[in-house]
């Protein structure tokens, strides 16, 4: 078996200038992962800021003679190798089955960028450590800025709606800040929260800041998926930690206390929200002129769906907090079921095994409820099965298994919780292609720092 430390996370001797430029680019990659809202059209493709910055980092690492060996060694790590096989399979099935290579290329190029980003962050240990620190520092500010955007937009009835979008299905403004949409804003928040609240040695003041700010940020996003994902991830982390026999029982209990405090804060917050919320209206189906929420209506790399023609009305008597409405008969849950049923029509015969080509669902189906708009599967397992068949789905499963296998032993409980949370989020939102995914994997896989080793020994 190839050991992760033998092929990744090198600590090469660098000049001060090279080290500084490398870390600045790593920091820029992390910052750009929060800026999914911003893109520009290049050669007919929507190119995002978070796609350009990783390319600059990868070019710097491959062209600089002191960094190139570390980059090439990281490329041979089992996790990037499995991911490279997944990307290669998408190319193969696209060449065989895709009706439009140009259409498919928008996602294939994005996958290649993701691979380069992952390898770049795994090449230098200090880069992955910096990415982790920046992500942890973002938690409370990201949550509080989102809550401020949400509160201002709704209190002013949309006259000031910076960093907020109007949800036409629930007649409420939701926070997205600089992310592409509310679901992505909330997903970034919960993933960094999980990595932060579960780390060894977290201080009381940091726990307090997280337990106050994160529930407010999730209320601002009005995203049910994020709430379920965070609770699931914290639960898996706690169970894994409690059943571990590598430390004393008291130490295991102490380790999960911060996660327990956050769960308690979530319960209290959403108890208050549920008590203040109105009664769910009988009909949550979308009118023909309305679009579903952004996670449903925007395909990765595609042009956003035009907004509905009617004006926002946050004073509508049917307005309620979206989080409290779990309705399987209408709304976004029924929307996902309908999309899956449409996708199943082409998941037969050889296409069930080999797929239909990357990002080709929209070439065959319109988005339910929005005539004239190309469809998009927003559930990762269903989309990968549709695009790459059973072979592609098998490679995706192998990727997540490889990540868990190669995480340092002391970080296994954290990895179990984060991966469980991620898989639920990605099943209900379009998370897989975004830079945050590959930053998280690189941070998870990095070797233990001296501080972590000291805490483990203590």
């Amino acid at each position: 078996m190839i050991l992760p430390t033998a092929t990744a996370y090198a600590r090469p001797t660098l000049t001060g200038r090279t080290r500084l430029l490398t870390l600045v680019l790593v920091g820029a990659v992390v910052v750009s992962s929060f800026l999914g809202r911003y893109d520009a059209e290049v050669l007919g493709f929507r190119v995002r800021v978070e796609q350009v910055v990783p390319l600059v980092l990868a070019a710097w690492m491959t062209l600089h003679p002191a960094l190139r060996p570390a980059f090439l060694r990281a490329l041979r790590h089992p996790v990037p190798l499995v991911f490279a096989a997944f990307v290669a399979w998408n190319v193969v099935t696209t060449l065989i089955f895709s009706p439009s290579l140009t259409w498919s290329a928008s996602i294939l190029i994005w996958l290649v960028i993701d691979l380069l980003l992952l390898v770049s962050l795994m090449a230098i240990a200090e880069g992955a450590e910096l990415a982790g620190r920046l992500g942890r520092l973002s938690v409370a500010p990201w949550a509080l800025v989102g809550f401020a955007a949400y509160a201002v937009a709704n209190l002013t009835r949309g006259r000031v709606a910076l960093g907020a979008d109007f949800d036409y299905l629930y007649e409420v403004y939701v926070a997205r800040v600089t992310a592409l949409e509310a679901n992505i804003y909330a997903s970034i928040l919960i993933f960094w929260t999980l990595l932060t609240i579960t780390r060894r040695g977290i201080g009381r003041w940091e726990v307090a800041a997280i337990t106050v700010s994160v529930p407010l940020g999730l209320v601002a996003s009005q995203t049910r998926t994020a709430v379920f994902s965070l609770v699931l991830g914290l639960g898996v982390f706690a169970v894994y930690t409690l059943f571990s026999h590598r430390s004393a029982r008291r130490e295991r209990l102490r380790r999960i206390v911060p996660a327990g405090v956050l769960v308690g804060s979530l319960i209290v917050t959403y108890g208050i929200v549920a008590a203040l919320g109105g009664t769910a209206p009988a009909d949550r189906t979308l009118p023909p002129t309305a679009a579903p929420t952004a996670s449903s209506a925007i395909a990765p790399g595609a042009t956003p769906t035009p907004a509905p023609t009617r004006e926002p009305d946050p004073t509508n008597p049917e307005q309620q907090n979206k989080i409290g409405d779990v309705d399987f008969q209408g709304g976004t849950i029924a929307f996902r079921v309908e999309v899956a049923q449409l996708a199943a029509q082409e998941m037969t015969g050889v296409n069930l095994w080999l797929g239909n080509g990357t990002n080709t669902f929209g070439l065959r189906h319109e988005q339910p409820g929005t005539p004239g708009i190309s469809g998009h599967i927003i559930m990762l397992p269903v989309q990968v099965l549709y695009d790459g068949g059973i072979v592609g789905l098998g490679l995706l499963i192998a990727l997540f298994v490889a990540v868990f296998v190669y995480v340092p032993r002391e970080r296994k409980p954290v990895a179990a919780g984060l991966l469980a949370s991620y898989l639920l989020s990605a099943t209900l939102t379009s998370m897989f292609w975004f830079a945050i995914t590959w930053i998280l994997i690189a941070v998870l896989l990095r070797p233990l720092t001296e501080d972590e080793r000291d805490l483990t020994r203590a």
Side-chain angles (χ1 to χ4, degrees):
M1 180 180 294
I2 303 174
L3 296 177
T5 52
T7 55
Y9 300 102
R11 295 187 181 274
T13 302
L14 304 174
T15 65
R17 181 182 178 184
T18 299
R19 176 179 175 274
L20 177 61
L21 286 174
T22 303
L23 294 182
V24 166
L25 286 174
V26 170
V29 165
V30 177
V31 171
S32 71
S33 70
F34 291 83
L35 305 177
R37 194 74 178 183
Y38 305 105
D39 59 24
E41 187 169 332
V42 178
L43 300 176
F45 295 98
R46 302 303 302 180
V47 179
R48 306 177 190 277
V49 171
E50 67 166 354
Q51 295 170 321
V52 175
V53 181
L55 285 176
V56 176
L57 174 61
W60 166 252
M61 300 198 76
T62 53
L63 294 176
H64 197 290
L67 297 170
R68 189 184 308 117
F71 182 90
L72 295 177
R73 283 197 300 272
L75 187 58
R76 299 197 298 270
H77 185 283
V79 171
L81 285 178
V82 175
F83 185 34
F86 176 80
V87 176
W89 177 249
N90 273 269
V91 173
V92 170
T93 189
T94 294
L95 292 175
I96 297 174
F97 298 110
S98 176
S100 172
L101 296 181
T102 301
W103 187 274
S104 296
S106 62
I107 296 299
L108 292 176
I109 294 171
W110 202 344
L111 287 172
V112 172
I113 293 172
D114 291 334
L115 176 60
L116 294 174
L117 168 58
L118 177 61
V119 175
S120 297
L121 291 181
M122 292 179 65
I124 305 294
E126 195 173 4
E129 292 162 6
L130 174 62
R133 288 195 298 272
L134 292 175
R136 292 195 299 268
L137 290 173
S138 74
V139 173
W142 187 244
L144 293 176
V145 170
F147 184 75
Y150 162 80
V152 170
N154 284 287
L155 288 173
T156 64
R157 299 181 181 180
R159 288 190 295 272
V160 180
L162 296 175
D165 285 330
F166 191 73
D167 189 314
Y168 287 85
L169 192 60
Y170 288 86
E171 302 287 349
V172 63
Y173 284 93
V174 296
R176 50 122 176 117
V177 192
T178 56
L180 176 63
E181 48 154 282
N183 270 326
I184 304 301
Y185 159 80
S187 295
I188 292 173
L189 176 61
I190 65 168
F191 295 150
W192 283 121
T193 296
L194 276 165
L195 276 180
T196 303
I197 202 74
T198 57
R199 83 178 195 277
R200 293 179 182 272
I202 184 173
R204 294 180 180 178
W205 286 109
E206 191 172 3
V207 172
I210 290 171
T211 54
V212 170
S213 62
V214 169
L216 294 177
L218 293 180
V219 168
S221 74
Q222 291 287 293
T223 305
R224 294 157 295 189
T225 297
V227 178
F228 299 147
S229 296
L230 180 56
V231 172
L232 173 65
L234 293 172
V236 170
F237 162 76
V239 170
Y240 197 110
T241 300
L242 287 174
F243 282 91
S244 171
H245 299 290
R246 298 185 182 279
S247 59
R249 183 174 180 83
R250 179 173 295 182
E251 171 60 26
R252 281 178 271 157
L253 289 172
R254 186 183 298 116
R255 179 84 192 279
I256 67 172
V257 165
V261 172
L262 177 56
V263 171
S265 178
L266 287 167
I267 292 172
V268 171
T269 301
Y270 291 108
I272 296 172
V273 169
L276 296 176
T279 303
D283 184 13
R284 284 294 184 191
T285 57
L286 290 166
T289 57
T293 54
S295 64
S296 303
I298 300 176
T303 302
T305 302
T309 55
R310 64 187 178 87
E311 292 297 320
D313 182 15
T315 63
N316 189 308
E318 290 189 345
Q319 177 182 342
Q320 70 158 44
N321 67 82
K322 179 180 174 182
I323 294 175
D325 181 24
V326 180
D327 179 10
F328 291 92
Q329 301 303 315
T332 57
I333 295 176
F335 174 84
R336 288 169 171 83
V337 172
E338 186 174 354
V339 169
Q341 291 173 342
L342 289 175
Q345 295 175 9
E346 285 88 39
M347 293 181 192
T348 58
V350 67
N351 296 108
L352 175 62
W353 287 94
L354 305 183
N356 295 279
T358 302
N359 196 34
T360 58
F361 177 80
L363 297 173
R364 301 181 176 96
H365 299 280
E366 293 182 338
Q367 200 79 328
T370 53
I373 301 299
S374 299
H376 172 49
I377 304 174
I378 54 177
M379 297 156 284
L380 180 63
V382 179
Q383 178 153 1
V384 172
L385 184 61
Y386 185 90
D387 289 356
I390 292 175
V391 175
L393 186 59
L395 288 170
L396 177 70
I397 294 171
L399 173 62
F400 286 105
V401 170
V403 170
F404 186 76
V405 167
Y406 285 96
V407 165
R409 185 188 66 192
E410 293 81 358
R411 210 176 283 137
K412 294 283 189 186
V414 179
L418 182 63
L419 291 176
S421 176
Y422 180 86
L423 287 173
L424 177 57
S425 291
T427 299
L428 298 175
T429 63
S430 296
M431 280 303 305
F432 184 70
W433 297 265
F434 291 88
I436 179 67
T437 299
W438 314 103
I439 295 171
L440 289 167
I441 290 176
V443 171
L444 264 184
L445 291 172
R446 76 192 193 284
L448 296 179
T449 63
E450 287 301 322
D451 289 343
E452 287 176 309
R453 292 192 182 96
D454 290 342
L455 286 170
T456 300
R457 286 193 291 266

